Structures are given as structure tokens and as C-alpha cells.
Amino acid sequence: MIRNPKFINMLIEQSILTTQDSLNLSEKYQGDAFEILLHLYRSGVAKKFVFGKLWGDSIGVSYVDLEKTLFQSQVVIALKENFARKHLIIPIYKIEDVVTVATAYPKKADVLEQAEHLLQYQVSPVFAFPDEIIDAIDIQYQSGDSISGLLNTIADNEMFKGTSKITPEQLEKLAGDKSIIDFSRSILLLAVKERASDIHIDPQEDIAFIRFRIDGVLHDRLKLDMTLFKPLSSRLKVMANLDITERRKPQDGRIAVNLTNKSIDFRVSTIPTIYGEKMVLRALGQILKDNVPDLSELDLLKSNYDKIQRIINAPNGVFFVTGPTGSGKSTTLFSVLQSLNKPDINIMTAEDPVEYRLPRINQVQVNPAIGFDFANALRSFLRQDPDVILIGEIRDLETAKIASQAALTGHLVVTTMHTNSALQAVTRLVEIGVEPFLVAPSIIGVMGQRLVRRICNFCKEKYRVSSEEIEKYFIWDQKTEVSFYKGRGCSECNNTGYSGRLAIHEIFLLTEEIRAMIAREASILDIDAIAKKSGFKTMRYDGMKKVLMGLTTIDEIERVTVED
């Protein structure tokens, strides 16, 4: 029982509750303010951050959103997992001799004293919701060592010996064994902890390799004896609702890992190889609206941010975001939608799959298998009185034509296309058959982007650049000192020197001169020359600016861009 009249009064002052509401809830929960907090938080009557901050302010501590917090792994594992689960407490990070811990009960002095004894450091408590802490414990206590321990347990089990030739019935029994269930779940949660975008399971003659793609680069994580590969792959296929007896042809499915506070989805793809089925599991975008970043959080240079604002404030037209698969196009588009999302605007989206979910936006999952593709969805949208339309991707002539016509009839259309540069999107539409007289007036802007790895903040260091390197990339006066940054490599970034990713961008706004060039089907080289005279800057330029800002490295820019 936690009584907190200050919190109740703050809710009334913020107009979240009326006085009568507070009396009704107090009666229902027998005056327990913490239970009232959890009821309101789960009901979604206001944002999670609002309730977390109000509760923290009422008890004199800060609120921390654990879904947006970076944990220091060495600090987390210094506190035993069973203690963390029992008392709903988890360490976050250490600064000097103080460890910040998130707890559902920051005023429990005895628990904090025990934590200090176990950690051997002074602790500073912050508030987090109980289900956030449980999810964080599930994820943050995963490690290569803990998974290796599970693997050893499985290897010692007689049930899994000699599994190279087994019947489908035996395979199904193995896939349902608790140790295999725990092992499979741990691999998925470890991938979430390490921010992996993909999990690769590669069978070879005697061994299977499990690799994680982290910040765009594959890293070996585990080696698996082939006797354990089939039970693992079968378990994952069961989770994805695939046929475990079919190993001769590719299959696709989806896995949902359910935590207390959220669900994490993985798209599963299998393909037969000479040694068995290779599996790739792609982590899909988080379904919680709080994970969609604001436009101001996308590391846009000010000039590019201003261009984006000009584009999305236009009453009609098509805005393209281009780039390869996994370049962050969907995140950018949903940041745009979040910025546009107001009660007086009707926003419709056609997606495959729906990755982010935003309130008050009408999101539609297309299903080509039943004939409901992007073009059909778009035609239906135009009868729904939309103001803004998002199309997951322009894949064919029909969708491209309808999008262009929608833009010319007063709608703002935002969409993606797979091209290597922003300028190529303009000519690609003409190449696939859209008439130039439709393309020229309908497009208002195109943004190309790539993802590069971000320098790890825990081991970031400055270094002087040689004169040869300066002259390779810049026009130099031979006097100005130029410094770059790099990561030394530490436990927080798995000794890579990088942690997380950011986008580099190029934004192309169409001028009347360029519209006229498109209408007469000018070459991309001619359009490029005029665009640069009008101030167009390439992704490589944007990347170099971010190198100088200390966000990424020259190596990363060289990896994802070509010389202008």
C-alpha cells in the first residue's frame, strides 16, 4: 500500500483526473496511489512519460524510460539477476563511484542498501514502471556466457544425441523441449540487447554459425554443433508457424517474442542449402509509438531539416525517400507522419508490413496474395477523403501513376523507392513508364539516405588528421588544424568502436527549371549539373560534415558512399 496524496493532486491540477474520478479510483484501489498510477498508465489516457514524470516528481526522484536508455553491461551484471527480479530493480550506468539504478520502488531504503552492498558502490535511484523493469531484466541479463551455459546443458542431454537422422515426430518433440525453447528465446533476446537487425543461422558440414548483423555489419556470436542445429531450426520454424517437415523449399513466416510490456517481431526466412536450411530472422520495427523519433532527432543538418519542413508543409505533391533495404526509410517517413499528425488531418497508410503504429493514423496492411496490393489500396484511399497518404513503396507503373495523379489532385503523398541516389528517383519514374508530364509537376522533393555506424560514446577519442588525408577530402589552407574522432573499442561496443547508427542524407528540391528538364526527358547528368548549381549537396558531403562533428568516421563514409 503506497499512499501519495501529492500525486493525486497533481493529476487533478493537470486535468488528467477530475476530483470525482480521483475519489472513484481511490475507492476502487483502497487508496493505493501506486495501483492508481499503474491503472492510468495501462489505460493510455496520457503518454507514459507524463505519468512517469508526475510520479517521480511526487516522490522526489527522476523518471527514466528504460526503452530509450543505454545500459552499461558490466554494471548490469554486477547485480545478481535473481535479486533484480525479486525487488524490481536494475542498474543502468555508473558515473565515477555512483551507480544509477532504476526501480519501481525508489523509497525502499532496505533494498537500496542491499543493492549498494552487492554493487560495492553508492546507488542513486530513479523511477521506472514495473513492466519496463521486467522487460529490461529479460533482455539485459542475456549474454554469450549465459547462452553458452544453456547450450552446454542441451549438449549433455541424452535426448539430443545422435539427432542427425530423426523422424518428423522426434523433431517435433525436440522442438518442444524446454531447454530448446529457452535457448531459442535467449538468442532472440540477446539479439535485441545487442541491437541486431538480423540473425543469421548458417549450417555447415560439421557446425552451424550464428551471426548477428549489428549496425550493418555481421559478427559471429555462437558456434553450434550440427546435432543441435535441427532442434533449434525446428523450434524457430514452430514459432514462425512454418512446416518443420518441409526442408526442400524456401519458407517465410513471422515470430512474435512477447515480453511484459511489448512484443518484438522477427520476420523469418528459410532457404535450403547443401548442409541444411539457412535461416535469417530480421527484427522488425518496434510496435510502440514511443519508438518513432521526432524529426529533430534524425541528425539532420539544419539546411536539410529546413528543406524537410518546406516539403511536408506543402499542400500537395509527392515526397520520395530513397535508399537500399535497411537504410532507415520507414523510420524517416514515420517521423514525417508524426510531425504531420494532427486532429484536423486525415492520414492513410498502405504498408507491407506495418512496422510502427501511431495513434489516429489509419494504417492498412496490404495483402498481394488476395489481390489487395499498393495500387488497389491507393485507389480506395482516394475515396476516403485523405489529406496525407503514405505508400510503403513504389514498385510498379500502376502505383506510380496513381500516386502522381493523387498529388496533382491535392494530396500530399510520401513514399519510398529503391534507387542509389535522390536524383535517380526522378528519372526512374519515367523509365518505368510514368509520362513526364505527370512526373514533372507532381514531385516536390526527394531525399536519399544511407545508415552509417555512430562512434561509441563510451570510448570516443579525438585524433589529428595527417595533411595527406586532409588534402584527400578537403580544400585546405595548410594552416587550420583538422581533427576527427574514433572509438578505441570497449566492452560497451564489443570492441568495435561503434554503437548505434545514424543516417546521412541528400535532399533534392525540384525547381521550375528542373521540372521543365524532366518534361523534355533530359538526362540525369544534365539534371545533376543544374541541381548542383542550385545548391544540391550529396550524401557524401553530408557524411563529411558529420565526420567533422564527431558523429562517425571517414571509414564509414567511404564504406557507404562513392566519391562525388
Side-chain angles (χ1 to χ4, degrees):
M1 172 73 70
I2 301 176
R3 298 193 181 277
N4 188 345
K6 184 177 180 181
F7 173 67
I8 303 299
N9 290 334
M10 292 168 80
L11 290 172
I12 296 170
E13 289 168 7
Q14 295 280 334
S15 299
I16 295 171
L17 292 181
T18 65
T19 303
Q20 187 59 50
D21 289 337
S22 70
L23 293 173
N24 293 341
L25 286 171
S26 292
E27 182 179 350
K28 180 178 180 179
Y29 293 104
Q30 300 178 328
D32 192 330
F34 193 68
E35 289 299 322
I36 293 173
L37 165 70
L38 296 181
H39 167 81
L40 294 171
Y41 155 60
R42 288 165 183 158
S43 68
V45 296
K47 286 189 174 182
K48 173 179 69 174
F49 176 79
V50 172
F51 289 124
K53 187 174 187 308
L54 284 175
W55 182 262
D57 289 346
S58 71
I59 62 175
V61 300
S62 297
Y63 163 68
V64 170
D65 184 347
L66 295 184
E67 291 187 3
K68 297 182 178 180
T69 298
L70 290 176
F71 290 82
Q72 289 179 352
S73 300
Q74 296 304 313
V75 177
V76 173
I77 62 175
L79 192 68
K80 296 293 183 184
E81 182 180 350
N82 57 0
F83 180 88
R85 287 190 185 279
K86 180 180 178 181
H87 297 289
L88 290 179
I89 183 171
I90 184 169
I92 304 176
Y93 50 79
K94 181 170 76 74
I95 298 177
E96 295 181 346
D97 292 329
V98 179
V99 174
T100 297
V101 296
T103 171
Y105 308 107
K107 292 303 180 182
K108 281 195 172 181
D110 58 329
V111 174
L112 297 179
E113 286 175 10
Q114 291 179 65
E116 286 186 341
H117 176 72
L118 293 169
L119 291 167
Q120 296 293 298
Y121 287 106
Q122 180 184 344
V123 301
S124 173
V126 295
F127 170 69
F129 289 102
D131 49 6
E132 288 184 334
I133 294 174
I134 294 169
D135 286 354
I137 291 170
D138 284 345
I139 293 169
Q140 296 303 323
Y141 279 93
Q142 300 296 334
S143 68
D145 290 340
S146 65
I147 290 181
S148 294
L150 279 172
L151 199 54
N152 292 334
T153 302
I154 296 169
D156 292 338
N157 190 333
E158 290 295 323
M159 183 179 182
F160 295 97
K161 298 201 183 290
T163 56
S164 57
K165 292 184 179 179
I166 50 179
T167 65
E169 292 77 17
Q170 290 173 313
L171 205 55
E172 192 168 347
K173 184 179 178 183
L174 291 173
D177 184 79
K178 185 179 184 304
S179 57
I180 283 291
I181 291 172
D182 292 343
F183 179 56
S184 306
R185 181 179 172 85
S186 293
I187 289 173
L188 299 178
L189 291 179
L190 180 62
V192 173
K193 175 187 175 182
E194 297 193 359
R195 308 178 326 279
S197 60
D198 302 85
I199 304 169
H200 288 239
I201 304 176
D202 305 324
Q204 300 299 304
E205 187 171 5
D206 300 312
I207 204 163
F209 292 90
I210 298 178
R211 296 184 290 172
F212 290 174
R213 187 178 294 281
I214 301 170
D215 299 334
V217 178
L218 280 170
H219 300 271
D220 279 337
R221 275 295 169 266
L222 289 167
K223 293 178 183 177
L224 196 67
D225 190 277
M226 283 301 288
T227 58
L228 301 179
F229 167 73
K230 283 185 181 177
L232 172 63
S233 62
S234 296
R235 176 60 200 167
L236 293 172
K237 288 170 76 172
V238 167
M239 294 172 73
N241 292 316
L242 302 181
D243 182 355
I244 65 170
T245 64
E246 178 56 74
R247 296 192 293 273
R248 298 165 300 169
K249 62 183 182 182
Q251 295 189 70
D252 295 294
R254 192 162 174 150
I255 289 173
V257 180
N258 294 314
L259 299 172
T260 304
N261 188 46
K262 62 182 176 182
S263 174
I264 301 167
D265 289 353
F266 291 85
R267 188 173 64 221
V268 182
S269 171
T270 73
I271 193 165
T273 72
I274 57 172
Y275 296 118
E277 289 177 286
K278 174 181 169 62
M279 305 186 79
V280 176
L281 292 82
R282 162 151 289 196
L284 300 177
Q286 303 299 306
I287 66 171
L288 299 176
K289 62 183 180 296
D290 291 335
N291 289 317
V292 179
D294 188 77
L295 271 176
S296 60
E297 299 173 329
L298 294 182
D299 296 297
L300 290 157
L301 298 182
K302 186 179 184 307
S303 58
N304 284 338
Y305 180 81
D306 292 342
K307 288 176 183 175
I308 290 275
Q309 289 296 334
R310 284 176 58 190
I311 289 169
I312 66 177
N313 287 325
N316 60 276
V318 181
F319 172 46
F320 281 100
V321 179
T322 73
T325 300
S327 60
K329 299 186 297 296
S330 294
T331 300
T332 297
L333 286 183
F334 272 89
S335 294
V336 167
L337 290 192
Q338 186 165 256
S339 178
L340 291 168
N341 192 12
K342 297 179 179 64
D344 60 341
I345 292 180
N346 179 23
I347 300 177
M348 310 280 297
T349 78
E351 305 170 62
D352 184 21
V354 173
E355 291 190 42
Y356 294 104
R357 297 179 188 177
L358 292 179
R360 303 197 69 168
I361 288 182
N362 307 287
Q363 295 177 256
V364 174
Q365 169 82 52
V366 300
N367 188 352
I370 61 170
F372 184 50
D373 56 16
F374 284 120
N376 286 325
L378 192 47
R379 269 193 293 268
S380 298
F381 285 0
L382 294 177
R383 296 189 287 272
Q384 290 276 319
D385 186 32
D387 298 295
V388 178
I389 297 171
L390 179 144
I391 308 169
E393 184 184 347
I394 297 290
R395 296 177 178 171
D396 53 61
L397 172 61
E398 188 179 12
T399 308
K401 277 191 171 183
I402 300 170
S404 298
Q405 289 163 350
L408 293 176
T409 54
H411 305 91
L412 178 63
V413 180
V414 295
T415 186
T416 70
M417 183 181 284
H418 287 162
T419 63
N420 289 324
S421 70
L423 294 175
Q424 284 178 2
V426 176
T427 54
R428 178 67 57 82
L429 287 174
V430 176
E431 288 168 3
I432 66 174
V434 184
E435 294 87 346
F437 69 82
L438 275 179
V439 175
S442 63
I443 299 178
I444 49 176
V446 186
M447 180 165 82
Q449 67 179 59
R450 297 284 189 282
L451 293 179
V452 294
R453 289 184 289 177
R454 188 188 294 269
I455 298 171
C456 174
N457 282 325
F458 292 104
C459 60
K460 183 176 178 178
E461 63 182 14
K462 191 176 184 179
Y463 69 96
R464 296 240 347 232
V465 186
S466 68
S467 57
E468 292 79 14
E469 194 168 11
I470 297 172
E471 289 174 343
K472 180 180 178 181
Y473 297 108
F474 306 101
I475 298 171
W476 189 39
D477 61 7
Q478 304 289 329
K479 297 175 184 176
T480 305
E481 181 182 321
V482 179
S483 296
F484 291 165
Y485 293 82
K486 64 181 180 181
R488 286 190 315 276
C490 65
S491 60
E492 297 302 325
C493 61
N494 288 314
N495 293 309
T496 62
Y498 299 98
S499 180
R501 290 191 286 179
L502 72 151
I504 56 173
H505 312 91
E506 58 184 26
I507 300 180
F508 171 48
L509 296 179
L510 271 73
T511 62
E512 290 308 313
E513 183 179 5
I514 290 174
R515 291 185 200 281
M517 294 177 72
I518 295 168
R520 63 173 184 266
E521 299 186 53
S523 72
I524 190 166
L525 293 176
D526 292 337
I527 294 173
D528 179 67
I530 297 299
K532 286 177 177 173
K533 285 182 181 178
S534 303
F536 171 69
K537 302 294 185 185
T538 65
M539 270 185 283
R540 191 172 177 87
Y541 173 88
D542 188 75
M544 289 299 179
K545 295 277 280 189
K546 286 167 182 172
V547 167
L548 293 171
M549 292 163 67
L551 298 176
T552 188
T553 64
I554 282 287
D555 289 343
E556 281 297 286
I557 304 306
E558 291 283 16
R559 183 173 68 86
V560 304
T561 67
V562 294
E563 192 170 346
D564 295 337

